[in-house]
Amino acid sequence: MDEKGIKDRLPAGLAARIASLRIDQKRLTLVLNGSGLSASDREATEAAIRQASEGLEGIESVAVAIMAERTRRRIVAIGSGKGGVGKSTLTANLAVALKRAGVKVGVVDADVYGPSQPRLLASEKKKPQAKDERLQPVTGTLDIPMLSMGHLAPPGKALAWRGPMAGGALTQLVDADWGDTELLLIDLPPGTGDVQLTMVQKHKPDGAVIVSTPQDLALIDAARAGQLFETAKVPVIGLVENMAGYACPHCGEISDPFGQGGVEKFAAALDLPFLGRIPLTPSIRVASDAGTPPAAGDGDEADAFAAIARQLAEWLEAQG
């Protein structure tokens, strides 16, 4: 009995699910594609395969393996060339906004030396476990799965690691057991060093978002981050202007301590999308420190993050 003869004995629907077939010393091994099958469907499919295989000439035993449906997981890096521009806050709030929009999103805090996501997404006291040599993510705000060196290192301990060690740590976080997570947001450290290079070269993000304040110095560093992604052939989804305008809590007058519109002009000069601006408000800082991202609530601040998240999701959908 050859492969064609075996497939001909099976109903067409079952035969179409055969990913591989092997006959070895009267033992038939079938590997099936389990896409779209529930647990009960998988059991019924295996039983049907075994029943249809009974009595095959030259076959004394049958082994059936059904492959789990593979989740197509996207990776988007959130980067900046400079620290202190609110990149981690943006990442956390984008994750929350995307989760509220129905996206199965996870967060990797790639800032090995200065992790912020455990505080921002309220998971500081949680410790990830390992199963089959893979880390199991913890959950933060809105049950968003996440991993950070802040979950693994003792609180307040400085990590004096060289580049290869930091890059290896990032790989463990990205290669964790993310289950059915569809999109990973990677909160990159500032700059263009070893961790960033490991991320773009080994894990190849589908795209990147660059965040900057409007001031010229921050924009110079943002340009360096853009060059890193361009060199690695990682498309830049767009730029976000953070800390754009401060509303006085007493009189309501808007001032611009870091300037205004610089990121939008910068994006236009580079022919890149401008995704929007996030205001400089005490409430964002207070909520972030408390582990309650503004994107989880309502109002103008939540709407600002939701608008950026919507454009990110639309860009990913357009890529197919």
Side-chain angles (χ1 to χ4, degrees):
M1 179 71 68
D2 59 10
E3 179 176 340
K4 183 178 184 304
I6 291 173
K7 288 186 175 181
D8 288 344
R9 278 284 299 269
L10 298 173
L14 293 180
R17 286 193 174 273
I18 295 177
S20 68
L21 181 157
R22 183 166 62 91
I23 302 174
D24 183 22
Q25 297 182 351
K26 298 184 180 182
R27 178 181 176 84
L28 170 63
T29 301
L30 294 164
V31 178
L32 307 181
N33 176 8
S35 298
L37 297 179
S38 65
S40 59
D41 289 338
R42 290 160 67 91
E43 292 178 2
T45 298
E46 181 175 350
I49 286 284
R50 290 186 180 281
Q51 182 178 4
S53 301
E54 290 179 358
L56 290 175
E57 183 180 351
I59 302 298
E60 295 182 356
S61 64
V62 178
V64 180
I66 301 180
M67 298 185 297
E69 184 173 3
R70 294 184 178 181
T71 300
R72 184 184 181 188
R73 185 168 300 122
R74 308 289 190 89
I75 294 178
V76 170
I78 313 296
S80 68
K82 181 179 179 62
V85 298
K87 170 183 49 57
S88 295
T89 300
L90 176 68
T91 303
N93 280 278
L94 285 182
V96 169
L98 288 164
K99 178 66 181 288
R100 293 185 71 184
V103 179
K104 295 177 180 178
V105 61
V107 173
V108 170
D109 188 349
D111 195 342
V112 174
Y113 304 109
S116 302
Q117 293 302 332
R119 169 66 64 87
L120 292 167
L121 290 173
S123 62
E124 285 181 288
K125 296 182 180 180
K126 296 185 177 181
K127 298 294 180 184
Q129 303 298 313
K131 182 179 179 181
D132 298 328
E133 299 185 352
R134 297 177 71 193
L135 287 173
Q136 306 295 304
V138 302
T139 56
T141 304
L142 297 187
D143 290 329
I144 293 172
M146 59 181 297
L147 280 172
S148 165
M149 281 306 300
H151 296 127
L152 301 171
K157 180 178 176 59
L159 297 179
W161 287 359
R162 296 187 182 275
M165 293 179 66
L170 171 60
T171 295
Q172 289 189 52
L173 301 182
V174 177
D175 290 343
D177 182 5
W178 290 99
D180 63 352
T181 299
E182 301 168 333
L183 171 64
L184 277 183
L185 297 183
I186 312 291
D187 178 13
L188 286 177
T192 54
D194 288 324
V195 173
Q196 293 88 338
L197 289 171
T198 297
M199 180 69 240
V200 299
Q201 292 176 351
K202 184 171 183 178
H203 303 289
K204 199 64 176 179
D206 294 86
V209 172
I210 297 176
V211 57
S212 176
T213 57
Q215 64 191 110
D216 290 343
L217 185 60
L219 290 170
I220 291 171
D221 291 328
R224 295 192 183 99
Q227 289 169 1
L228 172 71
F229 294 126
E230 182 180 0
T231 300
K233 294 182 171 52
V234 175
V236 174
I237 299 170
L239 280 72
V240 174
E241 183 172 281
N242 197 27
M243 305 181 192
Y246 172 73
C248 175
H250 303 293
C251 68
E253 182 179 350
I254 303 295
S255 60
D256 299 292
F258 296 108
Q260 183 186 44
V263 178
E264 185 171 8
K265 294 175 184 176
F266 182 64
L270 297 179
D271 196 24
L272 290 171
F274 176 66
L275 301 179
R277 50 177 53 90
I278 305 298
L280 175 63
T281 65
S283 57
I284 291 180
R285 179 195 62 78
V286 171
S288 298
D289 286 346
T292 55
D298 299 306
D300 293 341
E301 294 164 0
D303 292 344
F305 289 115
I308 296 171
R310 184 166 53 252
Q311 292 178 78
L312 192 157
E314 291 172 351
W315 185 91
L316 288 170
E317 184 178 354
Q319 305 310 302

